[in-house]
Each structure stands twice: as structure tokens, then as C-alpha cells.
Amino acid sequence: MAKPNKTTETQVSVTDFINSYVENEQKKTDSFELIRLMSEWSGFEPKMWGPTIIGFGSYHYKYDSGHEGDMPLIGFSPRKAEFSLYIYSPTEDNQHLLDDFGKYKMGKACIYVKKLADINVDSLEKICKATIKYLHKHHECACREK
């Protein structure tokens, strides 16, 4: 039997989370700006997913192994060292979107950036919208209702 997903939507206030969890003032400012931008681009209000991820919208995934669950369409976490951006679907069509993205490190499931000023916001928007489009096409997705 597949394990349930630990990262689920919660009722915790996003604003309360940022104000209590994020100590650095620049990171707080960047967090609220990311919320504004991702809300605008996704059409969804921010929700907490698990203890530290701020997500927008949701989609349902199911793997061949039988594991399935729900995750945000796009999101981020203002971790201590850097932001974890959950915004990228690695496809051949999307690879070029990283060319002008700015200063980042690529992780297995996210993109790491130190601060918003290190990246190109126009490229961020294109990546977020391409990811939503990809998820809409390949998964059961709340974005279909938009």
C-alpha cells in the first residue's frame, strides 16, 4: 500500500506563517511579493501546504506505482538559506525558459534562489504559466475550473 502524501493543504494563515517563520526582512518582503505575483499568474489565493510551503491551486497526480496525491500547481517555501521555488516542469519545451532566469540552483523538485532580485521576474512568470499549462494538460487540475 502506498504511503499517504505528507504535504497536504492546511488551514494555517499564510501571513501568520511568514510573519512568524521568516526572520530576514528582505526575505519577508520577497515572500509577500512572490505571493502577489503567483496569485496573479495562477488565479488562486495562497494556501499553506504542509508546515512551510505556500502553494497556489492544486492538481492530482497518480504514478504507475499506485502512489497518488495532491500538490500545489506552483508554490514556494521561504527556507532559511534560500527560497525553494516549486514552479518548473522539466520538459524539452520548457528548458529554454531557464536561459534568462538569473542566479539559481536546480534541485530535484525545485529551483533555489537567494532573493527575488537575483532572478528575472518576466522569466519567472513564463515558467509559472508554462508549468500550470503542463499540469493542466497532464493531470487532474483545479486550473481547469479557471
Side-chain angles (χ1 to χ4, degrees):
M1 183 171 169
K3 287 189 219 177
N5 192 348
K6 289 187 222 177
T7 306
T8 58
E9 189 177 318
T10 72
Q11 297 303 311
V12 174
S13 161
V14 171
T15 300
D16 289 349
F17 162 72
I18 290 171
N19 286 327
S20 65
Y21 181 79
V22 180
E23 295 172 1
N24 178 291
E25 286 305 314
Q26 184 58 55
K27 188 163 281 193
K28 248 184 218 187
T29 300
D30 285 354
S31 294
F32 286 117
E33 180 64 3
L34 281 169
I35 288 169
R36 185 186 73 75
L37 293 169
M38 289 183 172
S39 292
E40 179 184 317
W41 299 333
S42 70
F44 291 97
E45 293 299 313
K47 303 280 184 179
M48 290 303 302
W49 285 75
T52 61
I53 296 174
I54 299 165
F56 301 82
S58 66
Y59 72 97
H60 187 80
Y61 65 87
K62 186 172 185 177
Y63 298 131
D64 292 339
S65 66
H67 180 77
E68 63 182 291
D70 297 302
M71 289 300 290
L73 291 168
I74 58 174
F76 72 95
S77 181
R79 309 258 188 230
K80 296 256 186 247
E82 53 205 352
F83 285 98
S84 296
L85 302 175
Y86 304 98
I87 60 167
Y88 183 67
S89 293
T91 67
E92 261 185 51
D93 293 341
N94 293 345
Q95 185 63 42
H96 74 282
L97 296 174
L98 294 171
D99 293 347
D100 297 322
F101 190 64
K103 196 172 168 183
Y104 70 94
K105 289 188 293 184
M106 189 63 119
K108 185 175 180 183
C110 61
I111 297 172
Y112 299 104
V113 300
K114 296 254 184 219
K115 58 187 181 243
L116 204 49
D118 286 345
I119 61 173
N120 179 332
V121 174
D122 290 336
S123 292
L124 176 63
E125 178 180 9
K126 289 174 186 169
I127 291 169
C128 287
K129 288 181 175 181
T131 296
I132 292 168
K133 183 177 177 182
Y134 173 84
L135 293 171
H136 179 270
K137 185 176 179 181
H138 295 283
H139 298 280
E140 294 174 30
C141 174
C143 54
R144 291 189 180 155
E145 299 164 8
K146 291 284 176 186

